[in-house]
Amino acid sequence: MNSRRIILLAHGSSDKRWCDTFEALAEPTLTAVSNSRIAYMELAEPSLDAVVHEGVAAGTREFTIVPLFLAAGRHLRKDVPAMIEALEQSTGASIQLCPPIGENPLLGQAIKDVVALQLGQNTGQLGIQS
Amino acid sequence: MNSRRIILLAHGSSDKRWCDTFEALAEPTLTAVSNSRIAYMELAEPSLDAVVHEGVAAGTREFTIVPLFLAAGRHLRKDVPAMIEALEQSTGASIQLCPPIGENPLLGQAIKDVVALQLGQNTGQLGIQS
């Protein structure tokens, strides 16, 4: 049993299509990684607050947040650290914030693959060099 | 020679670190795909407007925009289509808008790989099932 809970944190939206996309993005990770959850920063459920509190109630003391953001802006530099500090104080849990996924070079490679597929589907002209 | 120009469209920011991250994300694609460029929707340069006008001046008539966004919100449903319509009218070019990269299942797989790496680095406990 892995007692650390992994939280994939997305920015939320009141538009259900937005959340559907993030749920599809999270699905391979949620399937592969034990004790992992998706949570939203704002405007959608489950909230970060709810997912941390539910974990603490189930005995989890350590959380790792992986932001489903391509880059760090004000939300990840200011708002999320403030939310984490408040949650650590109110629950006694330890919450680690990872860099946004977009800072990992694997994402740049995946983007190249997506563009190659897109061009193949849409134009039949790849223009891709290996 | 591929006469279609590929534009990787990112949301901009006045924070240079934001743009640095998107430039690193775009780099493998810009290296592999001929006639490809990065452009920003707002708050950073080069703008979408500048990249389209520069392409038209160089003889490009067809553009494909691949949004470096994880999901489609108001920007991709409203603002970018309006920008495209205005650019098509002012330049006579044909501009195709692709779905955001996050709607491609390859991104969900890349996220799973990033999380696995992150957990390996940070905790030594993977909790990953193959």
Side-chain angles (χ1 to χ4, degrees):
Chain A
M1 158 136 191
N2 181 356
S3 66
R4 174 178 291 272
R5 171 165 288 189
I6 309 307
I7 300 175
L8 300 180
L9 182 68
H11 194 286
S13 167
S14 56
D15 185 338
K16 186 179 175 303
R17 295 170 296 182
W18 173 276
C19 298
D20 287 347
T21 302
F22 278 97
E23 276 152 37
L25 278 170
E27 199 276 330
T29 305
L30 300 181
T31 300
V33 179
S34 58
N35 203 13
S36 60
R37 298 286 190 283
I38 191 169
Y40 294 98
M41 216 198 99
E42 59 186 23
L43 300 172
E45 295 292 334
S47 67
L48 178 60
D49 199 82
V51 170
V52 170
H53 278 97
E54 185 235 348
V56 169
T60 299
R61 309 298 298 160
E62 295 190 317
F63 297 82
T64 296
I65 297 177
V66 179
L68 300 186
F69 287 67
L70 289 175
R74 182 179 51 80
H75 285 322
L76 292 183
R77 294 187 193 281
K78 303 266 186 188
D79 303 340
V80 173
M83 293 165 81
I84 287 173
E85 191 181 349
L87 280 165
E88 286 186 324
Q89 287 183 358
S90 66
T91 65
S94 168
I95 306 174
Q96 174 193 35
L97 179 61
C98 294
I101 54 165
E103 291 187 8
N104 190 299
L106 287 173
L107 265 284
Q109 294 298 323
I111 289 169
K112 186 187 77 170
D113 294 341
V114 168
V115 171
L117 281 172
Q118 207 80 57
L119 296 181
Q121 283 165 6
N122 294 329
T123 71
Q125 285 183 291
L126 282 180
I128 301 278
Q129 286 136 20
S130 63
Chain B
M1 155 130 191
N2 181 358
S3 65
R4 175 178 291 273
R5 173 165 287 189
I6 309 307
I7 300 175
L8 301 181
L9 181 69
H11 195 285
S13 167
S14 56
D15 185 337
K16 187 178 176 302
R17 295 170 295 182
W18 174 275
C19 297
D20 288 347
T21 302
F22 278 98
E23 274 150 39
L25 278 170
E27 199 276 330
T29 306
L30 300 181
T31 301
V33 179
S34 57
N35 203 13
S36 60
R37 299 285 190 284
I38 191 170
Y40 294 98
M41 217 196 98
E42 60 186 23
L43 300 173
E45 294 294 332
S47 67
L48 178 61
D49 201 81
V51 170
V52 170
H53 277 97
E54 184 235 349
V56 169
T60 300
R61 310 298 298 159
E62 295 191 316
F63 296 83
T64 295
I65 297 177
V66 179
L68 300 187
F69 286 67
L70 289 175
R74 182 179 51 79
H75 286 320
L76 292 182
R77 295 188 192 281
K78 304 266 187 190
D79 303 338
V80 173
M83 293 166 80
I84 288 173
E85 191 180 347
L87 279 166
E88 285 186 325
Q89 287 183 1
S90 65
T91 65
S94 168
I95 306 174
Q96 173 194 35
L97 180 61
C98 293
I101 54 164
E103 290 187 8
N104 189 299
L106 287 172
L107 264 286
Q109 294 298 322
I111 288 169
K112 185 187 77 170
D113 294 341
V114 169
V115 171
L117 281 172
Q118 206 80 58
L119 295 182
Q121 283 165 6
N122 293 330
T123 70
Q125 287 183 291
L126 283 178
I128 302 277
Q129 287 137 20
S130 62

